[in-house]
Amino acid sequence: MSHPQLHLDIVLPVRYTCVVYWRQIMLPHMQVYGANGGPAAWNTAAITAWAQRVLVTSDAHYLILAVAAYVNPPVTLLLVPYIVLAAYGLADFVSQQYGSHPIWQRYGAPLHQKMLAYYQKALQFNAQSEIMLGFQLIVGLLFPGRAPLLLMAVWQVLRLRFWSVDAAVHHRMVWAGLDQMSGRVRQQVPILQKAVTFGVNFFHAGRQ
């Protein structure tokens, strides 16, 4: 028996969150444009050069995922990196705007300092959640509600992030850990090794 209200309770917040983040990064001074500017000219060569420069940044990756998430069935795990980054962004904003307020100094500032101390671990957690999302979408192909377009978008982004300027170190650590954990199983199940080889070739084909 279906529960339409439960479905709405889950779907609407997910879609709303994606729209909010999409709106945030699509503002006139959005992060991608603000950090990299626009193409030098509106011709194929200039746009290609600009895209190659931009597509190695996390801002571009999260823009791609936000658009893909909005036009596909919602996946809760997709929201994890956005929520983590939003928490840091909110803490930075409040610190800048209300850093002298007694309440912030007493309660917010210590928490903010702890957050900053764990920032690299937060990015590592984001990398883990992004890679887990890729595998979740593969398994999801076996069930109703599959999202093949989102699957392709996520794995394209994972490939970009493996070679990116600001996410490669975290993603490569996760992949190295998975390689070590799955080594014995892949020796016993050759088809898994073939899948890994295909994945390695796919990632290296996307090297910038």
Side-chain angles (χ1 to χ4, degrees):
M1 180 177 179
S2 62
H3 298 277
Q5 184 59 47
L6 178 60
H7 179 70
L8 289 177
D9 289 342
I10 296 174
V11 171
L12 291 182
V14 170
R15 296 246 171 173
Y16 177 74
T17 303
C18 291
V19 170
V20 168
Y21 186 80
W22 189 21
R23 176 180 179 275
Q24 174 187 347
I25 58 180
M26 288 295 289
L27 290 173
H29 298 288
M30 64 182 184
Q31 298 174 28
V32 173
Y33 184 84
N36 301 276
W42 292 103
N43 56 57
T44 303
I47 293 174
T48 300
W50 177 81
Q52 290 177 344
R53 186 174 71 252
V54 167
L55 285 176
V56 298
T57 66
S58 287
D59 292 332
H61 303 161
Y62 286 128
L63 172 60
I64 295 170
L65 289 180
V67 175
Y70 183 69
V71 299
N72 283 276
V75 179
T76 304
L77 189 58
L78 178 61
L79 296 178
V80 171
Y82 295 98
I83 293 173
V84 171
L85 295 176
Y88 275 90
L90 178 61
D92 290 340
F93 173 80
V94 176
S95 177
Q96 293 172 10
Q97 297 295 320
Y98 306 101
S100 60
H101 196 283
I103 294 180
W104 173 258
Q105 291 181 348
R106 182 173 182 179
Y107 300 104
L111 176 60
H112 189 209
Q113 291 301 315
K114 289 183 179 180
M115 290 176 65
L116 293 176
Y118 283 92
Y119 182 62
Q120 292 301 320
K121 291 185 177 180
L123 294 180
Q124 188 71 23
F125 175 71
N126 277 358
Q128 292 171 348
S129 67
E130 292 160 13
I131 292 171
M132 287 173 58
L133 171 64
F135 287 108
Q136 177 184 329
L137 291 171
I138 291 176
V139 175
L141 292 175
L142 303 175
F143 302 95
R146 62 185 64 88
L149 295 180
L150 181 59
L151 169 68
M152 289 188 290
V154 167
W155 279 96
Q156 288 291 344
V157 169
L158 287 177
R159 179 166 70 172
L160 289 171
R161 291 181 73 66
F162 186 83
W163 299 108
S164 72
V165 295
D166 51 5
V169 61
H170 303 291
H171 274 249
R172 293 183 185 190
M173 287 179 63
V174 178
W175 286 118
L178 290 175
D179 179 62
Q180 184 176 4
M181 290 172 55
S182 63
R184 182 174 300 178
V185 176
R186 286 186 280 117
Q187 290 177 357
Q188 299 174 352
V189 186
I191 192 172
L192 292 181
Q193 182 58 52
K194 291 183 179 180
V196 170
T197 301
F198 173 83
V200 170
N201 293 335
F202 169 74
F203 271 57
H204 280 276
R207 186 171 186 176
Q208 299 294 323

